[in-house]
Amino acid sequence: MKPFRGYENKNIIVLGYGRSGKSAVNALVSLGANVTLTTNEVFSDEEAEQKYKAWGVEIVDGHHPVNLLNDADLIVKNPGIPYSIPFLKEAAERKIPIVTDVEIAHHLSEAPIYALTGTNGKTTCTHLLGEMLEHGGSSPILCGNIGYPASAAAMEATRDDTLLMELSSFQLMGIEEFRPDIAVITNIYEAHLDYHGTVEEYVHAKLEIFKNMTADDLLIFNKKQAHLLENRDIKCRVQYFDTESEADAYAADGNLIVHGEVVMQVQDAVLKGEHNIENILATLLAAAAHGVNKDAIKKTLATFSGISHRLERLGAIDDVIYYNDSKATNNLATSFALKSFDTPVIWLAGGLDRGQSLDELMQYAGHVKRIVTFGETAPKFEALAEKLNIPAELTENPYTGVELTRYYAEPGDTVLFSPACASWDQYKDYERRGDHFKEGFAKLS
């Protein structure tokens, strides 16, 4: 951990007691800050309360009183808390800086920081890059939106480590001086408008990742979306990846090519689907910049099969293959999944209704033979099935849906759980939703 003194004796409010909030409190106390923790919920962690009191941390629970802002120098907020709440609107009017724990991590980390973001693919790229670095003899620490708070990882890291930070748009809205050594943006499509309000604001948040980068740093970007960088003040180097035309990393004639050199054949990579080829190419550029050797890269690509809830192959029952793609919380992610198969598909989908139309999925559903649907969006999926002239079945949830699909699946079919919707109408997150689907599959087998 670097001996950073910028928080010493500062009055800092930590807003929200999630994982990042706990980590922020620990980091800021160790750096000599005067910390106030405020949370909407009643604080019931007695062990933590005793520890915080011993540290001099003030706890204000059940609400966020505006008078806390009177002496505040900085607010470190949970990324999921919207800026529209009255407490933060008042803070903004008073020009009190509002950051996320990513900013703290930047100030503390002795290790280089590789930051990865994008609408889809960022988690896969983070894990894939981590395995490439490990196979190459390096010591990566995966953190950020992936579950391990960035500030905690930064306190742990040494100069011999590398922080691989998966970053959401929510986290990137809360940076001021954050500067990664390498930034990867997999893609940017419409998402999280309930939080950001407009597509423009969402894009702006994603592109904040490189605002402080210099000529010593590297931005890796999707060539198909190069227009998003037009008229931007970019001081760092930029490398592009593409699946359709030559770039710094691209796919051609069945090969994966980086800086003009063939790395391996596409067919030898375990990850399948065009979206995963893009993920691989983006990751290859980051691995090359780190200095990972080709043998380590090939070993990783030949064994890495993805991560839970992202087009996760669960197995086959009676020659029917089941896939869990619970992370597909929007149309784009589900379109990638649908395009990955040419077998007959029974598609299990549904969830929170955010007001999006499903019509754009029709062009990818030509091989879907039946839709099984659940949740708030079930009527929309039933209407989509009618437009596709295929049957639709209503079920209670993904668990019951697995059992229902078995009645209709025939040898050679694929059962694809790719919801195209968020989970919050029935589950706390997509992981729990995916686990429920996997429990249903386990019951079948």
Side-chain angles (χ1 to χ4, degrees):
M1 185 173 76
K2 288 191 298 192
F4 182 74
R5 302 190 66 177
Y7 299 123
E8 192 172 355
N9 296 321
K10 299 290 186 181
N11 298 321
I12 301 178
I13 297 170
V14 175
L15 181 64
Y17 189 61
R19 283 177 291 196
S20 67
K22 296 176 186 178
S23 177
V25 171
N26 293 345
L28 292 168
V29 168
S30 71
L31 294 168
N34 304 314
V35 179
T36 298
L37 170 65
T38 178
T39 172
N40 260 337
E41 294 78 27
V42 175
F43 196 86
S44 57
D45 189 339
E46 294 183 5
E47 182 179 347
E49 184 176 11
Q50 293 301 316
K51 179 176 67 174
Y52 289 165
K53 284 183 178 179
W55 289 353
V57 175
E58 181 182 0
I59 300 173
V60 180
D61 61 351
H63 64 317
H64 308 308
V66 174
N67 67 342
L68 292 179
L69 299 173
N70 292 344
D71 300 314
D73 297 307
L74 178 71
I75 295 173
V76 181
K77 81 173 192 73
N78 182 299
I81 298 175
Y83 289 83
S84 57
I85 67 170
F87 185 79
L88 290 178
K89 290 174 72 173
E90 177 65 23
E93 288 183 9
R94 299 190 190 192
K95 301 189 184 308
I96 300 171
I98 304 168
V99 301
T100 60
D101 88 311
V102 173
E103 182 75 5
I104 300 174
H106 159 71
H107 290 305
L108 298 186
S109 179
E110 290 185 329
I113 295 173
Y114 299 173
L116 301 94
T117 194
T119 306
N120 293 293
K122 57 185 177 292
T123 305
T124 296
C125 286
T126 304
H127 281 274
L128 182 59
L129 182 58
E131 290 208 11
M132 286 183 182
L133 264 59
E134 282 190 351
H135 287 151
S138 296
S139 175
I141 301 175
L142 278 61
C143 60
N145 194 55
I146 218 158
Y148 184 34
S151 53
M155 292 180 71
E156 169 196 345
T158 69
R159 293 177 183 176
D160 296 327
D161 299 313
T162 304
L163 292 188
L164 304 187
M165 286 188 191
E166 179 194 320
L167 299 180
S168 69
S169 57
F170 303 167
Q171 290 167 308
L172 287 168
M173 285 186 72
I175 62 172
E176 292 191 339
E177 298 177 354
F178 174 77
R179 174 192 161 197
D181 299 84
I182 296 176
V184 178
I185 302 181
T186 57
N187 48 61
I188 304 178
Y189 298 102
E190 181 177 314
H192 301 301
L193 298 192
D194 51 339
Y195 186 98
H196 293 284
T198 66
V199 175
E200 290 74 20
E201 284 300 314
Y202 174 66
V203 172
H204 173 76
K206 287 293 191 186
L207 298 185
E208 285 285 273
I209 198 169
F210 61 77
K211 71 176 182 179
N212 297 313
M213 293 172 69
T214 71
D216 294 327
D217 308 319
L218 172 64
L219 170 64
I220 295 168
F221 205 80
N222 194 323
K223 187 179 178 182
K224 293 185 181 69
Q225 298 188 315
H227 62 279
L228 294 176
L229 299 184
E230 292 176 1
N231 302 317
R232 303 278 178 179
D233 183 19
I234 303 174
K235 299 180 178 65
C236 60
R237 296 172 292 129
V238 182
Q239 293 179 0
Y240 293 98
F241 61 92
D242 198 8
T243 57
E244 297 176 355
S245 63
E246 287 192 18
D248 297 285
Y250 66 104
D253 301 323
N255 294 314
L256 298 169
I257 303 167
V258 178
H259 301 311
E261 182 181 358
V262 174
V263 175
M264 65 185 292
Q265 291 186 317
V266 173
Q267 67 180 17
D268 293 333
V270 175
L271 287 179
K272 304 301 180 186
E274 183 176 346
H275 64 297
N276 274 326
I277 296 175
E278 285 195 344
N279 292 336
I280 289 170
L281 292 170
T283 306
L284 286 175
L285 287 174
H290 184 84
V292 180
N293 64 66
K294 188 187 289 189
D295 287 341
I297 288 172
K298 292 172 70 173
K299 178 180 179 181
T300 304
L301 294 178
T303 57
F304 184 83
S305 59
I307 51 182
S308 294
H309 312 299
R310 291 160 180 82
L311 212 56
E312 176 187 12
R313 190 184 191 276
L314 300 184
I317 300 175
D318 298 331
D319 201 26
V320 176
I321 303 176
Y322 291 74
Y323 284 87
N324 167 34
D325 193 37
S326 183
K327 181 62 173 66
T329 58
N330 55 48
N331 285 352
L332 178 67
T334 290
S335 72
F336 290 155
L338 290 171
K339 287 191 294 183
S340 297
F341 302 100
D342 53 14
T343 55
V345 168
I346 297 178
W347 176 21
L348 180 58
L352 183 73
D353 190 350
R354 282 175 157 169
Q356 67 178 354
S357 170
L358 300 175
D359 288 351
E360 64 185 86
L361 291 173
M362 291 181 65
Q363 61 186 306
Y364 308 109
H367 49 294
V368 175
K369 59 186 285 188
R370 186 180 297 266
I371 295 176
V372 178
T373 185
F374 60 90
E376 288 182 359
T377 51
K380 288 187 173 182
F381 279 97
E382 290 177 314
L384 179 65
E386 186 173 353
K387 292 178 183 178
L388 292 167
N389 197 29
I390 59 175
E393 309 293 338
L394 186 64
T395 190
E396 184 178 348
N397 54 51
Y399 180 88
T400 60
V402 181
E403 185 173 1
L404 190 58
T405 61
R406 191 171 193 182
Y407 289 110
Y408 301 109
E410 299 173 326
D413 287 354
T414 297
V415 172
L416 173 64
F417 174 43
S418 188
C421 304
S423 60
W424 303 318
D425 58 334
Q426 292 181 300
Y427 301 92
K428 69 175 184 178
D429 52 39
Y430 72 84
E431 289 100 336
R432 180 63 196 113
R433 177 174 66 182
D435 287 341
H436 205 200
F437 175 76
K438 291 164 75 170
E439 290 166 11
F441 171 78
K443 183 181 177 182
L444 291 185
S445 55

PDB file of all heavy atoms in Angstrom, residues 110-129:
ATOM      1  N   GLU A 110       0.047  -0.007  -4.945  1.00  0.00           N
ATOM      2  CA  GLU A 110       1.419  -0.076  -5.446  1.00  0.00           C
ATOM      3  C   GLU A 110       1.464  -0.848  -6.749  1.00  0.00           C
ATOM      4  O   GLU A 110       2.395  -0.690  -7.539  1.00  0.00           O
ATOM      5  CB  GLU A 110       2.310  -0.778  -4.422  1.00  0.00           C
ATOM      6  CG  GLU A 110       2.557   0.018  -3.161  1.00  0.00           C
ATOM      7  CD  GLU A 110       3.544  -0.683  -2.245  1.00  0.00           C
ATOM      8  OE1 GLU A 110       3.584  -1.924  -2.235  1.00  0.00           O
ATOM      9  OE2 GLU A 110       4.279   0.030  -1.543  1.00  0.00           O
ATOM     10  N   ALA A 111       0.470  -1.710  -6.958  1.00  0.00           N
ATOM     11  CA  ALA A 111       0.435  -2.564  -8.140  1.00  0.00           C
ATOM     12  C   ALA A 111      -0.128  -1.805  -9.330  1.00  0.00           C
ATOM     13  O   ALA A 111      -0.933  -0.886  -9.172  1.00  0.00           O
ATOM     14  CB  ALA A 111      -0.433  -3.795  -7.868  1.00  0.00           C
ATOM     15  N   PRO A 112       0.269  -2.166 -10.550  1.00  0.00           N
ATOM     16  CA  PRO A 112      -0.375  -1.597 -11.729  1.00  0.00           C
ATOM     17  C   PRO A 112      -1.853  -1.980 -11.760  1.00  0.00           C
ATOM     18  O   PRO A 112      -2.247  -3.025 -11.227  1.00  0.00           O
ATOM     19  CB  PRO A 112       0.392  -2.218 -12.900  1.00  0.00           C
ATOM     20  CG  PRO A 112       1.067  -3.418 -12.330  1.00  0.00           C
ATOM     21  CD  PRO A 112       1.321  -3.128 -10.895  1.00  0.00           C
ATOM     22  N   ILE A 113      -2.662  -1.130 -12.368  1.00  0.00           N
ATOM     23  CA  ILE A 113      -4.104  -1.348 -12.436  1.00  0.00           C
ATOM     24  C   ILE A 113      -4.526  -1.541 -13.886  1.00  0.00           C
ATOM     25  O   ILE A 113      -4.257  -0.680 -14.733  1.00  0.00           O
ATOM     26  CB  ILE A 113      -4.882  -0.161 -11.823  1.00  0.00           C
ATOM     27  CG1 ILE A 113      -4.588  -0.050 -10.322  1.00  0.00           C
ATOM     28  CG2 ILE A 113      -6.387  -0.323 -12.067  1.00  0.00           C
ATOM     29  CD1 ILE A 113      -5.188   1.187  -9.670  1.00  0.00           C
ATOM     30  N   TYR A 114      -5.151  -2.667 -14.166  1.00  0.00           N
ATOM     31  CA  TYR A 114      -5.777  -2.907 -15.462  1.00  0.00           C
ATOM     32  C   TYR A 114      -7.280  -2.863 -15.229  1.00  0.00           C
ATOM     33  O   TYR A 114      -7.825  -3.706 -14.502  1.00  0.00           O
ATOM     34  CB  TYR A 114      -5.383  -4.269 -16.036  1.00  0.00           C
ATOM     35  CG  TYR A 114      -3.905  -4.467 -16.286  1.00  0.00           C
ATOM     36  CD1 TYR A 114      -3.416  -5.713 -16.659  1.00  0.00           C
ATOM     37  CD2 TYR A 114      -2.986  -3.424 -16.147  1.00  0.00           C
ATOM     38  CE1 TYR A 114      -2.057  -5.921 -16.899  1.00  0.00           C
ATOM     39  CE2 TYR A 114      -1.633  -3.616 -16.381  1.00  0.00           C
ATOM     40  CZ  TYR A 114      -1.174  -4.873 -16.751  1.00  0.00           C
ATOM     41  OH  TYR A 114       0.174  -5.065 -16.973  1.00  0.00           O
ATOM     42  N   ALA A 115      -7.956  -1.908 -15.827  1.00  0.00           N
ATOM     43  CA  ALA A 115      -9.381  -1.696 -15.602  1.00  0.00           C
ATOM     44  C   ALA A 115     -10.178  -2.166 -16.807  1.00  0.00           C
ATOM     45  O   ALA A 115      -9.856  -1.817 -17.944  1.00  0.00           O
ATOM     46  CB  ALA A 115      -9.652  -0.221 -15.331  1.00  0.00           C
ATOM     47  N   LEU A 116     -11.209  -2.948 -16.564  1.00  0.00           N
ATOM     48  CA  LEU A 116     -12.013  -3.515 -17.648  1.00  0.00           C
ATOM     49  C   LEU A 116     -13.478  -3.152 -17.456  1.00  0.00           C
ATOM     50  O   LEU A 116     -14.038  -3.345 -16.374  1.00  0.00           O
ATOM     51  CB  LEU A 116     -11.864  -5.039 -17.702  1.00  0.00           C
ATOM     52  CG  LEU A 116     -10.439  -5.566 -17.900  1.00  0.00           C
ATOM     53  CD1 LEU A 116      -9.781  -5.887 -16.554  1.00  0.00           C
ATOM     54  CD2 LEU A 116     -10.413  -6.800 -18.786  1.00  0.00           C
ATOM     55  N   THR A 117     -14.094  -2.621 -18.507  1.00  0.00           N
ATOM     56  CA  THR A 117     -15.504  -2.261 -18.446  1.00  0.00           C
ATOM     57  C   THR A 117     -16.161  -2.554 -19.780  1.00  0.00           C
ATOM     58  O   THR A 117     -15.509  -2.986 -20.730  1.00  0.00           O
ATOM     59  CB  THR A 117     -15.678  -0.781 -18.032  1.00  0.00           C
ATOM     60  OG1 THR A 117     -17.048  -0.546 -17.676  1.00  0.00           O
ATOM     61  CG2 THR A 117     -15.284   0.165 -19.169  1.00  0.00           C
ATOM     62  N   GLY A 118     -17.455  -2.319 -19.858  1.00  0.00           N
ATOM     63  CA  GLY A 118     -18.220  -2.590 -21.072  1.00  0.00           C
ATOM     64  C   GLY A 118     -19.613  -3.030 -20.707  1.00  0.00           C
ATOM     65  O   GLY A 118     -19.883  -3.462 -19.586  1.00  0.00           O
ATOM     66  N   THR A 119     -20.536  -2.908 -21.654  1.00  0.00           N
ATOM     67  CA  THR A 119     -21.910  -3.339 -21.386  1.00  0.00           C
ATOM     68  C   THR A 119     -21.964  -4.847 -21.186  1.00  0.00           C
ATOM     69  O   THR A 119     -22.631  -5.342 -20.282  1.00  0.00           O
ATOM     70  CB  THR A 119     -22.831  -2.925 -22.548  1.00  0.00           C
ATOM     71  OG1 THR A 119     -22.699  -1.514 -22.777  1.00  0.00           O
ATOM     72  CG2 THR A 119     -24.286  -3.252 -22.235  1.00  0.00           C
ATOM     73  N   ASN A 120     -21.268  -5.568 -22.028  1.00  0.00           N
ATOM     74  CA  ASN A 120     -21.222  -7.025 -21.929  1.00  0.00           C
ATOM     75  C   ASN A 120     -19.777  -7.495 -22.098  1.00  0.00           C
ATOM     76  O   ASN A 120     -18.999  -6.884 -22.817  1.00  0.00           O
ATOM     77  CB  ASN A 120     -22.092  -7.681 -23.004  1.00  0.00           C
ATOM     78  CG  ASN A 120     -23.567  -7.410 -22.786  1.00  0.00           C
ATOM     79  OD1 ASN A 120     -24.163  -7.864 -21.820  1.00  0.00           O
ATOM     80  ND2 ASN A 120     -24.162  -6.643 -23.693  1.00  0.00           N
ATOM     81  N   GLY A 121     -19.441  -8.595 -21.421  1.00  0.00           N
ATOM     82  CA  GLY A 121     -18.145  -9.228 -21.614  1.00  0.00           C
ATOM     83  C   GLY A 121     -17.075  -8.864 -20.619  1.00  0.00           C
ATOM     84  O   GLY A 121     -16.021  -9.514 -20.568  1.00  0.00           O
ATOM     85  N   LYS A 122     -17.307  -7.837 -19.789  1.00  0.00           N
ATOM     86  CA  LYS A 122     -16.223  -7.379 -18.904  1.00  0.00           C
ATOM     87  C   LYS A 122     -15.836  -8.425 -17.865  1.00  0.00           C
ATOM     88  O   LYS A 122     -14.660  -8.570 -17.526  1.00  0.00           O
ATOM     89  CB  LYS A 122     -16.598  -6.060 -18.226  1.00  0.00           C
ATOM     90  CG  LYS A 122     -17.878  -6.047 -17.419  1.00  0.00           C
ATOM     91  CD  LYS A 122     -18.177  -4.647 -16.904  1.00  0.00           C
ATOM     92  CE  LYS A 122     -19.500  -4.599 -16.151  1.00  0.00           C
ATOM     93  NZ  LYS A 122     -20.663  -4.819 -17.063  1.00  0.00           N
ATOM     94  N   THR A 123     -16.821  -9.176 -17.356  1.00  0.00           N
ATOM     95  CA  THR A 123     -16.497 -10.188 -16.352  1.00  0.00           C
ATOM     96  C   THR A 123     -15.719 -11.338 -16.974  1.00  0.00           C
ATOM     97  O   THR A 123     -14.727 -11.820 -16.415  1.00  0.00           O
ATOM     98  CB  THR A 123     -17.772 -10.716 -15.678  1.00  0.00           C
ATOM     99  OG1 THR A 123     -18.505  -9.615 -15.134  1.00  0.00           O
ATOM    100  CG2 THR A 123     -17.437 -11.687 -14.570  1.00  0.00           C
ATOM    101  N   THR A 124     -16.170 -11.782 -18.152  1.00  0.00           N
ATOM    102  CA  THR A 124     -15.443 -12.845 -18.854  1.00  0.00           C
ATOM    103  C   THR A 124     -14.011 -12.414 -19.143  1.00  0.00           C
ATOM    104  O   THR A 124     -13.057 -13.179 -18.909  1.00  0.00           O
ATOM    105  CB  THR A 124     -16.159 -13.206 -20.165  1.00  0.00           C
ATOM    106  OG1 THR A 124     -17.450 -13.745 -19.855  1.00  0.00           O
ATOM    107  CG2 THR A 124     -15.374 -14.230 -20.963  1.00  0.00           C
ATOM    108  N   CYS A 125     -13.835 -11.190 -19.637  1.00  0.00           N
ATOM    109  CA  CYS A 125     -12.478 -10.707 -19.945  1.00  0.00           C
ATOM    110  C   CYS A 125     -11.612 -10.620 -18.694  1.00  0.00           C
ATOM    111  O   CYS A 125     -10.423 -10.951 -18.734  1.00  0.00           O
ATOM    112  CB  CYS A 125     -12.558  -9.341 -20.621  1.00  0.00           C
ATOM    113  SG  CYS A 125     -13.129  -9.383 -22.322  1.00  0.00           S
ATOM    114  N   THR A 126     -12.193 -10.188 -17.586  1.00  0.00           N
ATOM    115  CA  THR A 126     -11.420 -10.065 -16.357  1.00  0.00           C
ATOM    116  C   THR A 126     -10.918 -11.424 -15.889  1.00  0.00           C
ATOM    117  O   THR A 126      -9.736 -11.592 -15.552  1.00  0.00           O
ATOM    118  CB  THR A 126     -12.267  -9.403 -15.252  1.00  0.00           C
ATOM    119  OG1 THR A 126     -12.752  -8.138 -15.714  1.00  0.00           O
ATOM    120  CG2 THR A 126     -11.438  -9.186 -13.994  1.00  0.00           C
ATOM    121  N   HIS A 127     -11.802 -12.417 -15.890  1.00  0.00           N
ATOM    122  CA  HIS A 127     -11.392 -13.762 -15.482  1.00  0.00           C
ATOM    123  C   HIS A 127     -10.401 -14.373 -16.484  1.00  0.00           C
ATOM    124  O   HIS A 127      -9.431 -15.032 -16.084  1.00  0.00           O
ATOM    125  CB  HIS A 127     -12.622 -14.664 -15.350  1.00  0.00           C
ATOM    126  CG  HIS A 127     -13.378 -14.475 -14.072  1.00  0.00           C
ATOM    127  ND1 HIS A 127     -13.059 -15.136 -12.918  1.00  0.00           N
ATOM    128  CD2 HIS A 127     -14.433 -13.685 -13.772  1.00  0.00           C
ATOM    129  CE1 HIS A 127     -13.889 -14.776 -11.953  1.00  0.00           C
ATOM    130  NE2 HIS A 127     -14.739 -13.894 -12.445  1.00  0.00           N
ATOM    131  N   LEU A 128     -10.671 -14.168 -17.768  1.00  0.00           N
ATOM    132  CA  LEU A 128      -9.796 -14.721 -18.795  1.00  0.00           C
ATOM    133  C   LEU A 128      -8.398 -14.125 -18.692  1.00  0.00           C
ATOM    134  O   LEU A 128      -7.382 -14.842 -18.748  1.00  0.00           O
ATOM    135  CB  LEU A 128     -10.398 -14.469 -20.179  1.00  0.00           C
ATOM    136  CG  LEU A 128      -9.647 -15.013 -21.391  1.00  0.00           C
ATOM    137  CD1 LEU A 128      -9.486 -16.517 -21.308  1.00  0.00           C
ATOM    138  CD2 LEU A 128     -10.380 -14.619 -22.679  1.00  0.00           C
ATOM    139  N   LEU A 129      -8.324 -12.811 -18.533  1.00  0.00           N
ATOM    140  CA  LEU A 129      -7.025 -12.152 -18.390  1.00  0.00           C
ATOM    141  C   LEU A 129      -6.330 -12.620 -17.116  1.00  0.00           C
ATOM    142  O   LEU A 129      -5.102 -12.833 -17.112  1.00  0.00           O
ATOM    143  CB  LEU A 129      -7.205 -10.632 -18.374  1.00  0.00           C
ATOM    144  CG  LEU A 129      -5.926  -9.796 -18.273  1.00  0.00           C
ATOM    145  CD1 LEU A 129      -4.970 -10.104 -19.418  1.00  0.00           C
ATOM    146  CD2 LEU A 129      -6.267  -8.299 -18.241  1.00  0.00           C
TER     147      LEU A 129
END
